[in-house]
C-alpha cells in the first residue's frame, strides 16, 4: 500500500459520558484515539485521547503508519487528553524535537507544551535501545565498553582523591594547631588495637593450615622438615601483610564508608562545608594516618601469629625439634621481612582512601550507603591483591 494513498488507521474507544457533567467531552475527541493520514495524503492527523487506556490500540496505529509519521505534516488540532504514555508514543512517532515544535505551532496550551518538552526527549530515546536488543554480540561489546569506561572514571577519581588527600596533608604539616590528634588517637584505637585479636587469631590458623599443607606436599620428597621454611618465608614476605591488609579492607574500609556515608545522609558533611571546614582535613586525614600507623603494627602481629601457628604444627604434629624451628626462623634473611613491611603503608593509604571516597559518594539514602559500603570492600580487597602482585613482580625483576 503506497504512502501517498488515503488510508485510515483507527481504534475507536467509547468514552462514557455523564449528563450535565462539566467534564463531558465533545464527540470529536471522545469518539476515537488514533493516528491517520488525511485524505490528501500530506498530513498525519492525531486525534482523540492519547492516554494509557488506549495504549495498545495506539501502538497498533503507529505500527501501521510506519515511517509516514516522520515525513508528513503533523496535525495536532484534534488531540484530546494526553498523559505520559501518549506523549511517549507521539515522540516515538515523529521525534522529540519535531513534536515540541509542532505543539508550539499548533497552538496547544502552554502547560501541555511544557509537559511535552519534559517527557518527549526521554521517551524518544527508548527505541534506540530496543533496536539493539536482538544483537547479543553488540550488547556484550556495549556492556564491556561501558564497564571499561566506568572503571577508568573510577580510577581517575581515586587518583584525584589520593592527590587531594596528600596535598591537604602537606598543607597542614607545618601547622600543628590544625592537627586533629584526638580524632587520630580515636581512629588508631578502632582500626588498630581492636583489630589485633581477629588478626592474630586468623593468621595463627592460616599459619597452621599452611604448615599442614606444606608437610603433606613435602613429605612425598622426604623434606617434611623444611615445612617451617615455607611458613617463615611466606609470612614474612607475603602472607603477613597480605592477610592483615585484607582483614582491614573488610573491617575498616567498610566502617569508614558507613560512617562518612551516614554523615552524608544526615547532611553533616554539608554542615562542615558551611562552617568553612574541610571534610578532607576533618574526616579523611585522621583515618588515613591512623591506618598508615596501625597496618605495619598489625602486619608484625600477623607475622608473629602465623609463625607461631606454623611452629605449633611443626613441633606438635611433625615432631620437628623446637630448636630447629627457631633456627629456621632466625635463618630467614631480614630483607624478606623488610620487603613485606614496606608494602603495608601503601596498602594502608589505598584502603583508607577507598573507604573514605566511597563514603563521600553516598547520594543520601540507606540503599546508597549499603551499595557504596559493599563497593568499598570489593575495591579495597581488589586493590590490595593487585598492588601485591605488582610489588611481587617488581621485587622479582630487581632481584630482591
Amino acid at each position: 500500500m503506497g504512502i501517498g494513498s488515503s488510508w485510515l488507521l483507527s481504534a475507536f474507544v467509547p468514552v462514557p459520558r455523564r449528563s450535565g457533567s462539566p467534564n463531558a467531552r465533545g464527540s470529536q475527541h471522545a469518539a476515537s484515539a488514533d493516528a491517520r493520514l488525511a485524505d490528501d495524503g500530506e498530513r498525519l492527523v492525531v486525534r482523540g485521547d492519547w492516554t494509557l487506556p488506549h495504549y495498545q490500540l495506539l501502538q497498533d496505529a503507529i505500527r501501521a503508519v510506519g515511517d509516514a509519521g516522520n515525513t508528513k505534516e503533523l496535525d495536532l488540532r484534534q488531540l484530546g487528553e494526553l498523559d505520559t504514555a501518549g506523549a511517549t508514543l507521539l515522540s516515538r512517532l515523529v521525534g522529540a524535537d519535531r513534536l515540541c515544535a509542532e505543539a508550539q505551532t499548533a497552538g496547544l496550551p502552554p502547560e501541555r507544551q511544557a509537559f511535552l518538552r519534559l517527557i518527549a526527549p526521554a521517551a524518544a530515546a527508548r527505541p534506540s535501545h530496543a533496536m539493539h536488543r536482538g544483537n547479543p554480540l553488540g550488547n556484550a561489546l556495549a556492556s564491556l565498553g561501558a564497564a571499561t569506561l566506568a572503571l577508568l572514571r573510577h580510577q581517575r577519581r581515586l587518583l584525584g582523591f589520593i592527590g587531594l588527600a596528600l596535598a591537604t596533608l602537606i598543607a597542614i604539616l607545618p601547622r600543628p594547631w590544625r592537627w586533629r590528634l584526638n580524632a587520630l588517637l580515636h581512629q588508631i584505637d578502632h582500626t588498630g588495637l581492636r583489630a589485633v585479636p581477629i588478626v592474630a587469631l586468623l593468621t595463627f590458623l592460616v599459619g597452621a593450615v599452611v604448615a599442614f599443607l606444606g608437610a603433606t606436599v613435602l613429605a612425598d620428597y622426604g623434606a617434611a622438615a623444611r615445612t617451617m621454611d615455607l611458613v617463615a618465608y611466606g609470612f614474612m614476605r607475603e602472607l603477613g601483610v597480605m592477610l592483615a591488609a585484607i582483614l582491614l579492607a573488610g573491617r575498616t574500609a567498610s566502617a569508614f564508608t558507613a560512617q562518612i556515608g551516614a554523615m552524608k545522609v544526615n547532611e553533616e558533611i554539608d554542615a562542615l562545608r558551611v562552617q568553612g571546614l574541610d571534610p578532607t582535613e576533618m574526616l579523611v586525614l585522621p583515618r588515613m594516618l591512623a591506618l598508615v600507623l596501625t597496618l605495619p603494627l598489625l602486619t608484625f602481629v600477623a607475622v608473629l601469629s602465623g609463625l607461631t601457628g606454623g611452629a605449633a604444627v611443626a613441633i606438635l604434629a611433625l615432631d620437628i625439634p623446637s630448636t630447629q624451628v627457631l633456627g629456621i626462623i632466625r635463618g630467614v634473611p631480614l630483607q624478606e621481612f623488610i620487603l613485606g613491611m614496606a608494602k603495608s603503608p601503601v596498602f594502608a593509604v589505598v584502603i583508607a582512601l577507598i573507604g573514605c571516597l566511597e563514603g563521600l559518594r553516598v547520594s543520601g539514602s540507606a540503599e546508597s550507603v549499603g551499595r557504596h559500603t559493599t563497593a568499598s570492600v570489593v575495591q579495597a580487597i581488589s586493590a590490595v591483591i593487585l598492588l601485591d602482585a605488582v610489588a611481587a613482580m617488581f621485587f622479582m625483576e630487581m632481584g630482591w
Side-chain angles (χ1 to χ4, degrees), residues 162 241 245 288 291-293 295-296 299 339-354 380 383-384 386-388 390-391 395:
I162 292 175
V241 63
M288 184 186 76
L291 218 58
V292 169
L293 294 175
L295 186 53
T299 299
L339 291 177
M341 293 293 293
K343 294 182 285 187
S344 58
V346 179
F347 291 168
V349 170
V350 172
I351 292 170
L353 293 184
I354 287 177
V384 166
L386 178 62
L387 289 175
D388 188 73
V390 172
F395 293 157

Side-chain angles (χ1 to χ4, degrees), residues 231-299:
V231 176
Y233 277 89
F235 269 88
M236 287 190 182
R237 188 180 180 104
E238 295 290 343
L239 292 180
V241 63
M242 189 79 162
L243 292 174
I246 289 176
L247 288 173
L248 280 192
R251 180 184 183 274
T252 306
S254 59
F256 288 172
T257 302
Q259 292 165 4
I260 297 178
M263 295 179 68
K264 189 76 177 294
V265 171
N266 296 329
E267 299 182 350
E268 297 176 41
I269 306 293
D270 296 331
L272 289 177
R273 292 194 176 101
V274 169
Q275 298 176 52
L277 300 175
D278 185 5
T280 304
E281 179 181 335
M282 302 286 292
L283 302 175
V284 177
L285 288 186
R287 288 170 168 80
M288 184 186 76
L289 294 176
L291 218 58
V292 169
L293 294 175
T294 56
L295 186 53
L297 300 177
L298 290 175
T299 299

